[in-house]
Amino acid sequence: MNSKFMTTLILLSGVWLSLNASSVKATAFEQCPTEAFLIQKPATTPLAFGIDLSTGSYSMLSNNMGTSNVNGAGFSFHDSYIYGWDYSAKTLAQIGSDYQTLPLNVNGLIGKPFYVGDVSLIENAWYGYRPGYGLYRIDLDDPLGNLTMVKVASSGEMGNPKLTDMAFHPSDNYLYAVDNDGYLWKIDSANGMTEQLNQVLSESELGFNFTFGAQYFDVSGHLYISNNGNGYLYRITLDGAASVAQFFSYGPSSNSNDGARCALAAIEVSDDVDFGDAPDSYGTSIESSGARHGITTLYLGSHVDPESTSYTYPLSDDTSDASNDDDGVNFATGLEVGESAILSIEVTGSGGYLNGWIDWDLDGEFDNDEQVITASQVANGYSTYYITVPAWATAGDSWSRFRISSVQNLGPTGGVSDGEVEDYPVTITELNVSPRFYPSASEYTTFAYEDLYPELGDFDMNDVLMNVKYTEYVKDEEVIRLKIEGKLAALGASYHNGFAIRLPGISASMVKGDSVMLIIDNVVQNIAVLEANQSDAVLIISSDLWQMVQAGEGECQYFRTEADCGTSSRPAWSLIVPFSSAIPLAMMPAMPYDPFIFAAPGSYHGDATQSLLGIHPGRKHEIHLKNRAHTDTFDTQLFGSFDDDSVIGSEHCFQNSNGLPWALEIPTDWKHPKERVTILEAYPQFAGFAQDSSGATNPNWYLSSNAISDNLYND
């Protein structure tokens, strides 16, 4: 009696009959297979696929498994069978190399099907989970005997996770699963204790819904999860609450989706795969989920050669075997910032779609807005493409990537079953671009701040001292990007302050935020510089300037403000700000724009501020140049309080009743007052200058010749 007939008999009679093990025993798999098994039900019967995880290639193993559906499947390393829930027989089934279900005699069933399950590697037992019921165990030491389902923990005891599959780790015997909100769970199979780790994937970020019906491990401890809706496969590197998921390959999709795999098998790459050649920051190697294709009759150019591993720059595939298969893309023109370019692309084969990217901002990644060709259907032969080099592109050496496949919407990384990937080094040039400088090409202007606002305090104007110079890059009477350079000249504050620059009248959407580059002391900062939720673009250079420096030598409290604590060191920074679209000169605000300081988030900022705004005012507290507007985060309760004479809604702001400001611009590399020496003592002419709104009185007050030298800080 075969298993298919037995299943039919069960359905007709509703009575469980004992199985004759000798007559129905299936054949086990010969060894721990390297492929993954995917069981799907796209129509009326379940299908079994073998999945090559390295590329997402798949082949049908069975188009009829002898039942209505199989779910909750896991591969047993102990006897080389697959075990999964047979929906027709309403019990656990054994599945051998013929992919037919053999229903098992199990006592203690709960009367509900299981669509979440796996087999342990430490013990020969299948574990199943059902939301609302809990975690259950079936011992498989004698699978064709009388088995018993035992409850391990209730769903409530486990925290009610909403799981659609789970998998045993190859070594620690914990179950892991990603729920449909993208959160990673760790489950102790011994008692059902759970730990919800971090969210490894987000529907809002990815732009589509997901249900991970197939989940399995490799021998290295990477967890793979397959999305039912589109077949996308993600690989998760486990690191506790810092676990990370990345897209890995494209695979088959189905509303009903379940997976099984021998967790002790490595992911193997066949010899018939094509990799890219770009540096690995672009996603090239299998370790970085690089772009890779199973080789078929569809490819770019006239030639494609196979490889079993990636050869990243400078050891490209062409270099390694002297066979140039990167022959499908010809750059007919150069790539010049703000201009059009022409590409000629040759395709061999039919039914393909072309996608292409160029790293315009030279950050070592292919971003979404750097895609130059999107899902373009191509025919055998040559095609011409016209692309535009964006105004925000950065001149210099970069990389491009082109992928052809029968899969329409490819990203720049991940494996796919057919086609080819070709990577090309490119050079982006910049012609007819002229710089505009402030104050000049070689000089800095200085911004000085007193951070006790709205109190005048010691008024030494050295709490923050920043030297800054600006460059606007202009092409065809439009500004395409900014470069702002600075040096932190002094910190005479016990409070913690941040430093930022606002671009008045320039909305945040006009700045290419993800391409803004901040460099501090020659180190690129991996932080978001463009501040969110602001009407005007606000660029945060530092949220706490004390993180850039240390106090001076000996007993000194501050940086470059106290006598005998000198240092010539000035931490340097530079900021590259590309615009999404070039901005006409008439729309640009006048340099130096609006440089300001603010209270570092989470830090105490004085009793006066605390009485008005709370103990940690953060971005509610700002200090701008005299008569400059505040940003959207500023709290206007500060206006008119204590020593401040600002008037809400007017241009009269950030000054006291005598016109004294809390922020100054000095058009030179200025010698500032010593700690707790007021600017009025150090520069006696300053009072007259501040009180004359026209600026005609004592315009050169800041020159050293007009200062009392003993009151000035010297290196």
PDB file of all heavy atoms in Angstrom, residues 174-199:
ATOM      1  N   TYR A 174      19.121  26.441  19.730  1.00  0.00           N
ATOM      2  CA  TYR A 174      18.008  27.375  19.871  1.00  0.00           C
ATOM      3  C   TYR A 174      17.271  27.467  18.538  1.00  0.00           C
ATOM      4  O   TYR A 174      17.868  27.328  17.461  1.00  0.00           O
ATOM      5  CB  TYR A 174      18.494  28.764  20.268  1.00  0.00           C
ATOM      6  CG  TYR A 174      18.818  28.912  21.736  1.00  0.00           C
ATOM      7  CD1 TYR A 174      20.117  28.760  22.191  1.00  0.00           C
ATOM      8  CD2 TYR A 174      17.816  29.213  22.657  1.00  0.00           C
ATOM      9  CE1 TYR A 174      20.424  28.899  23.541  1.00  0.00           C
ATOM     10  CE2 TYR A 174      18.116  29.357  24.011  1.00  0.00           C
ATOM     11  CZ  TYR A 174      19.416  29.200  24.451  1.00  0.00           C
ATOM     12  OH  TYR A 174      19.712  29.336  25.781  1.00  0.00           O
ATOM     13  N   LEU A 175      15.971  27.682  18.638  1.00  0.00           N
ATOM     14  CA  LEU A 175      15.179  27.990  17.461  1.00  0.00           C
ATOM     15  C   LEU A 175      15.205  29.494  17.212  1.00  0.00           C
ATOM     16  O   LEU A 175      15.193  30.285  18.173  1.00  0.00           O
ATOM     17  CB  LEU A 175      13.726  27.539  17.664  1.00  0.00           C
ATOM     18  CG  LEU A 175      13.459  26.039  17.553  1.00  0.00           C
ATOM     19  CD1 LEU A 175      12.181  25.675  18.293  1.00  0.00           C
ATOM     20  CD2 LEU A 175      13.351  25.625  16.083  1.00  0.00           C
ATOM     21  N   TYR A 176      15.251  29.882  15.956  1.00  0.00           N
ATOM     22  CA  TYR A 176      15.192  31.297  15.594  1.00  0.00           C
ATOM     23  C   TYR A 176      14.096  31.476  14.554  1.00  0.00           C
ATOM     24  O   TYR A 176      13.827  30.576  13.751  1.00  0.00           O
ATOM     25  CB  TYR A 176      16.523  31.785  15.031  1.00  0.00           C
ATOM     26  CG  TYR A 176      17.628  31.856  16.061  1.00  0.00           C
ATOM     27  CD1 TYR A 176      18.373  30.732  16.386  1.00  0.00           C
ATOM     28  CD2 TYR A 176      17.915  33.048  16.717  1.00  0.00           C
ATOM     29  CE1 TYR A 176      19.386  30.788  17.345  1.00  0.00           C
ATOM     30  CE2 TYR A 176      18.920  33.126  17.667  1.00  0.00           C
ATOM     31  CZ  TYR A 176      19.650  31.992  17.978  1.00  0.00           C
ATOM     32  OH  TYR A 176      20.639  32.058  18.925  1.00  0.00           O
ATOM     33  N   ALA A 177      13.490  32.651  14.576  1.00  0.00           N
ATOM     34  CA  ALA A 177      12.424  32.938  13.624  1.00  0.00           C
ATOM     35  C   ALA A 177      12.299  34.443  13.446  1.00  0.00           C
ATOM     36  O   ALA A 177      12.582  35.216  14.365  1.00  0.00           O
ATOM     37  CB  ALA A 177      11.095  32.359  14.109  1.00  0.00           C
ATOM     38  N   VAL A 178      11.857  34.854  12.263  1.00  0.00           N
ATOM     39  CA  VAL A 178      11.541  36.252  11.997  1.00  0.00           C
ATOM     40  C   VAL A 178      10.035  36.342  11.779  1.00  0.00           C
ATOM     41  O   VAL A 178       9.482  35.647  10.923  1.00  0.00           O
ATOM     42  CB  VAL A 178      12.298  36.783  10.766  1.00  0.00           C
ATOM     43  CG1 VAL A 178      11.860  38.208  10.441  1.00  0.00           C
ATOM     44  CG2 VAL A 178      13.798  36.728  11.009  1.00  0.00           C
ATOM     45  N   ASP A 179       9.370  37.180  12.589  1.00  0.00           N
ATOM     46  CA  ASP A 179       7.925  37.299  12.464  1.00  0.00           C
ATOM     47  C   ASP A 179       7.561  38.233  11.311  1.00  0.00           C
ATOM     48  O   ASP A 179       8.440  38.788  10.646  1.00  0.00           O
ATOM     49  CB  ASP A 179       7.296  37.742  13.791  1.00  0.00           C
ATOM     50  CG  ASP A 179       7.704  39.156  14.226  1.00  0.00           C
ATOM     51  OD1 ASP A 179       8.106  39.967  13.370  1.00  0.00           O
ATOM     52  OD2 ASP A 179       7.614  39.440  15.437  1.00  0.00           O
ATOM     53  N   ASN A 180       6.272  38.414  11.098  1.00  0.00           N
ATOM     54  CA  ASN A 180       5.830  39.182   9.935  1.00  0.00           C
ATOM     55  C   ASN A 180       5.922  40.687  10.128  1.00  0.00           C
ATOM     56  O   ASN A 180       5.538  41.455   9.240  1.00  0.00           O
ATOM     57  CB  ASN A 180       4.403  38.785   9.563  1.00  0.00           C
ATOM     58  CG  ASN A 180       4.345  37.379   8.988  1.00  0.00           C
ATOM     59  OD1 ASN A 180       5.376  36.812   8.640  1.00  0.00           O
ATOM     60  ND2 ASN A 180       3.158  36.819   8.903  1.00  0.00           N
ATOM     61  N   ASP A 181       6.433  41.119  11.275  1.00  0.00           N
ATOM     62  CA  ASP A 181       6.796  42.522  11.472  1.00  0.00           C
ATOM     63  C   ASP A 181       8.301  42.726  11.323  1.00  0.00           C
ATOM     64  O   ASP A 181       8.802  43.827  11.538  1.00  0.00           O
ATOM     65  CB  ASP A 181       6.344  43.013  12.852  1.00  0.00           C
ATOM     66  CG  ASP A 181       4.833  43.102  12.964  1.00  0.00           C
ATOM     67  OD1 ASP A 181       4.204  43.506  11.976  1.00  0.00           O
ATOM     68  OD2 ASP A 181       4.291  42.754  14.030  1.00  0.00           O
ATOM     69  N   GLY A 182       9.014  41.649  10.991  1.00  0.00           N
ATOM     70  CA  GLY A 182      10.449  41.748  10.762  1.00  0.00           C
ATOM     71  C   GLY A 182      11.299  41.611  12.003  1.00  0.00           C
ATOM     72  O   GLY A 182      12.508  41.854  11.951  1.00  0.00           O
ATOM     73  N   TYR A 183      10.710  41.207  13.151  1.00  0.00           N
ATOM     74  CA  TYR A 183      11.483  41.048  14.385  1.00  0.00           C
ATOM     75  C   TYR A 183      12.037  39.631  14.491  1.00  0.00           C
ATOM     76  O   TYR A 183      11.366  38.649  14.164  1.00  0.00           O
ATOM     77  CB  TYR A 183      10.623  41.352  15.609  1.00  0.00           C
ATOM     78  CG  TYR A 183      10.403  42.834  15.831  1.00  0.00           C
ATOM     79  CD1 TYR A 183       9.288  43.482  15.300  1.00  0.00           C
ATOM     80  CD2 TYR A 183      11.319  43.589  16.553  1.00  0.00           C
ATOM     81  CE1 TYR A 183       9.091  44.835  15.482  1.00  0.00           C
ATOM     82  CE2 TYR A 183      11.130  44.952  16.747  1.00  0.00           C
ATOM     83  CZ  TYR A 183      10.015  45.567  16.206  1.00  0.00           C
ATOM     84  OH  TYR A 183       9.832  46.909  16.398  1.00  0.00           O
ATOM     85  N   LEU A 184      13.264  39.549  14.977  1.00  0.00           N
ATOM     86  CA  LEU A 184      13.938  38.269  15.163  1.00  0.00           C
ATOM     87  C   LEU A 184      13.643  37.730  16.558  1.00  0.00           C
ATOM     88  O   LEU A 184      13.757  38.464  17.553  1.00  0.00           O
ATOM     89  CB  LEU A 184      15.445  38.448  14.963  1.00  0.00           C
ATOM     90  CG  LEU A 184      16.332  37.218  15.164  1.00  0.00           C
ATOM     91  CD1 LEU A 184      16.033  36.162  14.100  1.00  0.00           C
ATOM     92  CD2 LEU A 184      17.810  37.617  15.106  1.00  0.00           C
ATOM     93  N   TRP A 185      13.280  36.440  16.637  1.00  0.00           N
ATOM     94  CA  TRP A 185      12.985  35.781  17.907  1.00  0.00           C
ATOM     95  C   TRP A 185      13.980  34.653  18.148  1.00  0.00           C
ATOM     96  O   TRP A 185      14.382  33.955  17.214  1.00  0.00           O
ATOM     97  CB  TRP A 185      11.572  35.193  17.904  1.00  0.00           C
ATOM     98  CG  TRP A 185      10.481  36.218  17.932  1.00  0.00           C
ATOM     99  CD1 TRP A 185      10.063  37.006  16.903  1.00  0.00           C
ATOM    100  CD2 TRP A 185       9.660  36.563  19.052  1.00  0.00           C
ATOM    101  NE1 TRP A 185       9.039  37.822  17.304  1.00  0.00           N
ATOM    102  CE2 TRP A 185       8.764  37.571  18.622  1.00  0.00           C
ATOM    103  CE3 TRP A 185       9.587  36.107  20.373  1.00  0.00           C
ATOM    104  CZ2 TRP A 185       7.816  38.133  19.467  1.00  0.00           C
ATOM    105  CZ3 TRP A 185       8.638  36.663  21.217  1.00  0.00           C
ATOM    106  CH2 TRP A 185       7.770  37.675  20.774  1.00  0.00           C
ATOM    107  N   LYS A 186      14.337  34.473  19.407  1.00  0.00           N
ATOM    108  CA  LYS A 186      15.185  33.358  19.849  1.00  0.00           C
ATOM    109  C   LYS A 186      14.363  32.529  20.826  1.00  0.00           C
ATOM    110  O   LYS A 186      13.816  33.063  21.805  1.00  0.00           O
ATOM    111  CB  LYS A 186      16.454  33.886  20.515  1.00  0.00           C
ATOM    112  CG  LYS A 186      17.416  32.810  21.005  1.00  0.00           C
ATOM    113  CD  LYS A 186      18.654  33.458  21.640  1.00  0.00           C
ATOM    114  CE  LYS A 186      19.630  32.411  22.148  1.00  0.00           C
ATOM    115  NZ  LYS A 186      20.829  33.044  22.771  1.00  0.00           N
ATOM    116  N   ILE A 187      14.276  31.209  20.571  1.00  0.00           N
ATOM    117  CA  ILE A 187      13.388  30.334  21.341  1.00  0.00           C
ATOM    118  C   ILE A 187      14.187  29.165  21.899  1.00  0.00           C
ATOM    119  O   ILE A 187      14.893  28.463  21.157  1.00  0.00           O
ATOM    120  CB  ILE A 187      12.241  29.804  20.456  1.00  0.00           C
ATOM    121  CG1 ILE A 187      11.492  30.971  19.806  1.00  0.00           C
ATOM    122  CG2 ILE A 187      11.290  28.931  21.265  1.00  0.00           C
ATOM    123  CD1 ILE A 187      10.530  30.541  18.707  1.00  0.00           C
ATOM    124  N   ASP A 188      14.069  28.941  23.197  1.00  0.00           N
ATOM    125  CA  ASP A 188      14.688  27.791  23.848  1.00  0.00           C
ATOM    126  C   ASP A 188      13.748  26.602  23.687  1.00  0.00           C
ATOM    127  O   ASP A 188      12.647  26.585  24.238  1.00  0.00           O
ATOM    128  CB  ASP A 188      14.924  28.090  25.331  1.00  0.00           C
ATOM    129  CG  ASP A 188      15.754  27.017  26.026  1.00  0.00           C
ATOM    130  OD1 ASP A 188      15.775  25.871  25.532  1.00  0.00           O
ATOM    131  OD2 ASP A 188      16.360  27.310  27.068  1.00  0.00           O
ATOM    132  N   SER A 189      14.162  25.606  22.910  1.00  0.00           N
ATOM    133  CA  SER A 189      13.282  24.473  22.629  1.00  0.00           C
ATOM    134  C   SER A 189      13.018  23.620  23.864  1.00  0.00           C
ATOM    135  O   SER A 189      12.037  22.870  23.903  1.00  0.00           O
ATOM    136  CB  SER A 189      13.886  23.597  21.522  1.00  0.00           C
ATOM    137  OG  SER A 189      15.147  23.084  21.930  1.00  0.00           O
ATOM    138  N   ALA A 190      13.856  23.729  24.895  1.00  0.00           N
ATOM    139  CA  ALA A 190      13.682  22.915  26.093  1.00  0.00           C
ATOM    140  C   ALA A 190      12.484  23.354  26.913  1.00  0.00           C
ATOM    141  O   ALA A 190      11.784  22.527  27.512  1.00  0.00           O
ATOM    142  CB  ALA A 190      14.947  22.961  26.954  1.00  0.00           C
ATOM    143  N   ASN A 191      12.211  24.655  26.958  1.00  0.00           N
ATOM    144  CA  ASN A 191      11.132  25.153  27.814  1.00  0.00           C
ATOM    145  C   ASN A 191      10.245  26.202  27.141  1.00  0.00           C
ATOM    146  O   ASN A 191       9.303  26.703  27.762  1.00  0.00           O
ATOM    147  CB  ASN A 191      11.704  25.729  29.113  1.00  0.00           C
ATOM    148  CG  ASN A 191      12.795  26.767  28.843  1.00  0.00           C
ATOM    149  OD1 ASN A 191      12.792  27.438  27.818  1.00  0.00           O
ATOM    150  ND2 ASN A 191      13.750  26.875  29.767  1.00  0.00           N
ATOM    151  N   GLY A 192      10.549  26.569  25.905  1.00  0.00           N
ATOM    152  CA  GLY A 192       9.748  27.549  25.198  1.00  0.00           C
ATOM    153  C   GLY A 192      10.027  28.993  25.563  1.00  0.00           C
ATOM    154  O   GLY A 192       9.341  29.899  25.074  1.00  0.00           O
ATOM    155  N   MET A 193      11.034  29.240  26.392  1.00  0.00           N
ATOM    156  CA  MET A 193      11.372  30.615  26.749  1.00  0.00           C
ATOM    157  C   MET A 193      11.814  31.364  25.498  1.00  0.00           C
ATOM    158  O   MET A 193      12.605  30.854  24.701  1.00  0.00           O
ATOM    159  CB  MET A 193      12.479  30.634  27.799  1.00  0.00           C
ATOM    160  CG  MET A 193      12.080  30.052  29.148  1.00  0.00           C
ATOM    161  SD  MET A 193      10.863  31.078  30.001  1.00  0.00           S
ATOM    162  CE  MET A 193      11.854  32.526  30.362  1.00  0.00           C
ATOM    163  N   THR A 194      11.308  32.592  25.346  1.00  0.00           N
ATOM    164  CA  THR A 194      11.583  33.368  24.147  1.00  0.00           C
ATOM    165  C   THR A 194      12.275  34.682  24.481  1.00  0.00           C
ATOM    166  O   THR A 194      12.161  35.209  25.583  1.00  0.00           O
ATOM    167  CB  THR A 194      10.295  33.685  23.377  1.00  0.00           C
ATOM    168  OG1 THR A 194       9.438  34.467  24.211  1.00  0.00           O
ATOM    169  CG2 THR A 194       9.586  32.432  22.939  1.00  0.00           C
ATOM    170  N   GLU A 195      12.980  35.198  23.479  1.00  0.00           N
ATOM    171  CA  GLU A 195      13.599  36.517  23.560  1.00  0.00           C
ATOM    172  C   GLU A 195      13.385  37.200  22.218  1.00  0.00           C
ATOM    173  O   GLU A 195      13.832  36.704  21.186  1.00  0.00           O
ATOM    174  CB  GLU A 195      15.094  36.400  23.864  1.00  0.00           C
ATOM    175  CG  GLU A 195      15.800  37.740  23.977  1.00  0.00           C
ATOM    176  CD  GLU A 195      17.292  37.599  24.251  1.00  0.00           C
ATOM    177  OE1 GLU A 195      17.776  36.446  24.347  1.00  0.00           O
ATOM    178  OE2 GLU A 195      17.972  38.641  24.349  1.00  0.00           O
ATOM    179  N   GLN A 196      12.671  38.320  22.256  1.00  0.00           N
ATOM    180  CA  GLN A 196      12.492  39.093  21.024  1.00  0.00           C
ATOM    181  C   GLN A 196      13.707  39.996  20.854  1.00  0.00           C
ATOM    182  O   GLN A 196      13.984  40.843  21.690  1.00  0.00           O
ATOM    183  CB  GLN A 196      11.223  39.939  21.057  1.00  0.00           C
ATOM    184  CG  GLN A 196      10.936  40.623  19.724  1.00  0.00           C
ATOM    185  CD  GLN A 196       9.768  41.584  19.799  1.00  0.00           C
ATOM    186  OE1 GLN A 196       9.751  42.471  20.642  1.00  0.00           O
ATOM    187  NE2 GLN A 196       8.785  41.416  18.918  1.00  0.00           N
ATOM    188  N   LEU A 197      14.430  39.794  19.769  1.00  0.00           N
ATOM    189  CA  LEU A 197      15.627  40.581  19.496  1.00  0.00           C
ATOM    190  C   LEU A 197      15.239  41.809  18.673  1.00  0.00           C
ATOM    191  O   LEU A 197      14.150  42.326  18.808  1.00  0.00           O
ATOM    192  CB  LEU A 197      16.669  39.703  18.809  1.00  0.00           C
ATOM    193  CG  LEU A 197      17.059  38.436  19.616  1.00  0.00           C
ATOM    194  CD1 LEU A 197      17.988  37.548  18.820  1.00  0.00           C
ATOM    195  CD2 LEU A 197      17.689  38.812  20.948  1.00  0.00           C
ATOM    196  N   ASN A 198      16.095  42.276  17.823  1.00  0.00           N
ATOM    197  CA  ASN A 198      15.824  43.523  17.106  1.00  0.00           C
ATOM    198  C   ASN A 198      15.011  43.290  15.838  1.00  0.00           C
ATOM    199  O   ASN A 198      14.827  42.159  15.374  1.00  0.00           O
ATOM    200  CB  ASN A 198      17.138  44.230  16.759  1.00  0.00           C
ATOM    201  CG  ASN A 198      18.029  43.365  15.888  1.00  0.00           C
ATOM    202  OD1 ASN A 198      18.266  42.206  16.188  1.00  0.00           O
ATOM    203  ND2 ASN A 198      18.535  43.916  14.807  1.00  0.00           N
ATOM    204  N   GLN A 199      14.523  44.383  15.272  1.00  0.00           N
ATOM    205  CA  GLN A 199      13.820  44.335  13.996  1.00  0.00           C
ATOM    206  C   GLN A 199      14.861  44.328  12.885  1.00  0.00           C
ATOM    207  O   GLN A 199      15.573  45.298  12.685  1.00  0.00           O
ATOM    208  CB  GLN A 199      12.876  45.530  13.844  1.00  0.00           C
ATOM    209  CG  GLN A 199      11.974  45.439  12.627  1.00  0.00           C
ATOM    210  CD  GLN A 199      11.004  46.614  12.528  1.00  0.00           C
ATOM    211  OE1 GLN A 199      11.303  47.704  13.003  1.00  0.00           O
ATOM    212  NE2 GLN A 199       9.851  46.403  11.929  1.00  0.00           N
TER     213      GLN A 199
END
